[in-house]
Amino acid sequence: MSNVQTGFGPFIAVYLTAQAWTELEIGLALSVGAFVTMVMQVPAGALVDATPNKRLAAGAALLAIAASALLLAVWPETLPVMVSEVLHGIASCVLGPSIAAISLALVGREGLGERLGRNARYAAVGSGVAAGLLGAAGAWLSGASVFWLTALLCVPSLLALAAIRRADLHPPEPEPREREGGALRGLRDLLRERGVLVFAGCCGLFTLSNAAMLPLAGTQVTRNAGDEANLIIAACIIAPQLIMALIAPGIGRLAERRGRRIALLIGFAALPVRGLLLMLVEGPAWLVLVQALDGLSAAGLGVMLPLLAADLTRGTNRFNLCLGVFGLAIGIGGTLSTTLAGLAAEWFGAATAFAMLAGVGLLSVLTVWLAMPETGTRAPA
């Protein structure tokens, strides 16, 4: 999954910049995908909850992402790029919850924290390897080759998915009182939970700060480095993946042993620091070093989001619906982030845009610290 998804995001910004798109146009294109992701998160979560075959849902999503990548490679004009972003947004809404549901069905709730940590480690390795391959292809072949290769990477992803046997999956059974009622009732009940609402706000602030940082840096690098931009962006993706691969299992264990809030704070605290440093640094080497901090943030949110969803939906069949609520908040943040950062960069300069993103990141840290309840059953008294 990570191999495939690495082809989107920063590489799109580099690709479209090379096609003479402006920062505002790139921001709007990325925001279209983020908006679709925002709209589809909750329906996709409810759909995955209702679908008995999570592997089939994940496979269909992977095929849709492959089609999205091919559309970018073949036709980098305004309408096809927008259609590609829409298709990718819908497929991603289904793919993430499907993988989380498969993980939960494989190990159960008690083993989920460590399983999510290992998932994040393999995801980081996959993203790092794919970033290197895609960066090399973009630099030495063509910008479009990034998306041809992304589509090709769906083949091993589908093979890995097919290797999971139905007999290995044992999804937790909801309590009898939770078996009745549809998605609307489940959503209403979820939105009455303080922990769900607070963490949804944390997710929105996190992505509002984070989503635009690397694409904005990518546009600056493309103007300064030319053909080497793809290699620099690849290094900016690989560095945080290495950090994430090293620390993600530890984040999962920390969350199980010391509680969820401390693990969240570690991940979120890296955001404002990274935004401020991106405002100050200019050279490619410094950019790569600063971007390594994203590994800390990605490990924190990547492990904790599904773990908190499992905590907050214990005894119900709303795990993926809860993921959808959190994904909706992330979609709102992502939609606003790229557009606002693009406008700020165009009107006031990139340094002001990075300062704005850092300020939002600090607000996300304060929200976790002051408002987020502890949901872990093993948290210290």
Side-chain angles (χ1 to χ4, degrees):
M1 182 178 74
S2 296
N3 286 158
V4 174
Q5 294 284 50
T6 301
F8 296 86
F11 283 112
I12 292 180
V14 172
Y15 180 52
L16 296 181
T17 300
Q19 300 291 326
W21 287 47
T22 67
E23 288 177 342
L24 182 57
E25 289 171 334
I26 293 169
L28 289 173
L30 294 177
S31 291
V32 166
F35 177 76
V36 171
T37 301
M38 175 184 67
V39 171
M40 289 300 300
Q41 284 287 347
V42 173
L47 176 65
V48 175
D49 275 334
T51 302
N53 193 339
K54 316 298 189 198
R55 295 178 303 158
L56 180 62
L62 279 167
L63 291 174
I65 290 174
S68 175
L70 290 174
L71 193 56
L72 279 171
V74 172
W75 202 357
E77 301 295 333
T78 302
L79 182 59
V81 168
M82 297 301 181
V83 171
S84 172
E85 286 290 302
V86 169
L87 187 59
H88 177 259
I90 294 173
S92 295
C93 289
V94 174
L95 184 58
S98 297
I99 297 298
I102 290 170
S103 298
L104 179 60
L106 283 169
V107 301
R109 295 188 188 275
E110 291 303 314
L112 188 59
E114 195 142 356
R115 175 69 266 170
L116 291 172
R118 294 206 301 274
N119 282 3
R121 167 172 284 175
Y122 283 105
V125 172
S127 294
V129 171
L133 292 173
L134 296 171
W140 297 329
L141 297 177
S142 69
S145 66
V146 168
F147 304 104
W148 288 107
L149 185 53
T150 295
L152 184 62
L153 287 170
C154 283
V155 175
S157 301
L158 288 167
L159 293 175
L161 185 65
I164 301 173
R165 299 172 298 180
R166 182 183 292 271
D168 295 331
L169 302 175
H170 304 284
E173 290 291 329
E175 296 176 3
R177 63 183 177 84
E178 298 288 345
R179 294 178 187 273
E180 298 180 358
L184 288 178
R185 175 191 168 184
L187 180 61
R188 184 178 65 248
D189 291 345
L190 277 178
L191 295 180
R192 292 174 179 169
E193 292 283 341
R194 175 172 175 265
V196 171
L197 294 176
V198 172
F199 188 62
C202 293
C203 289
L205 290 170
F206 180 98
T207 315
L208 180 58
S209 173
N210 183 68
M213 284 191 187
L214 185 53
L216 183 60
T219 59
Q220 303 302 312
V221 166
T222 301
R223 289 188 170 87
N224 296 330
D227 292 339
E228 295 180 357
N230 277 292
L231 288 176
I232 296 169
I233 292 299
C236 286
I237 295 174
I238 292 171
Q241 301 310 320
L242 291 174
I243 300 299
M244 187 175 176
L246 289 172
I247 70 170
I251 292 288
R253 289 191 294 270
L254 178 67
E256 293 289 358
R257 296 171 184 173
R258 299 293 302 275
R260 312 316 197 207
R261 288 178 71 248
I262 187 171
L264 279 174
L265 283 170
I266 290 172
F268 276 58
L271 266 178
V273 175
R274 181 164 140 251
L276 289 175
L277 290 175
L278 285 173
M279 179 179 66
L280 300 173
V281 303
E282 293 184 0
W286 285 109
L287 177 62
V288 173
L289 287 174
V290 171
Q291 188 59 24
L293 287 172
D294 189 36
L296 195 58
S297 298
L301 188 66
V303 173
M304 296 309 301
L305 189 149
L307 185 56
L308 284 167
D311 288 346
L312 294 165
T313 59
R314 187 177 285 107
T316 74
N317 189 34
R318 300 174 192 149
F319 174 57
N320 293 289
L321 185 61
C322 188
L323 288 177
V325 171
F326 295 157
L328 173 61
I330 287 174
I332 293 172
T335 300
L336 295 174
S337 180
T338 50
T339 300
L340 291 178
L343 288 171
E346 192 158 304
W347 292 345
F348 305 110
T352 301
F354 283 126
M356 177 192 73
L357 297 175
V360 176
L362 180 59
L363 183 59
S364 74
V365 176
L366 293 175
T367 305
V368 172
W369 186 17
L370 299 175
M372 185 64 204
E374 178 58 64
T375 63
T377 58
R378 301 183 186 180

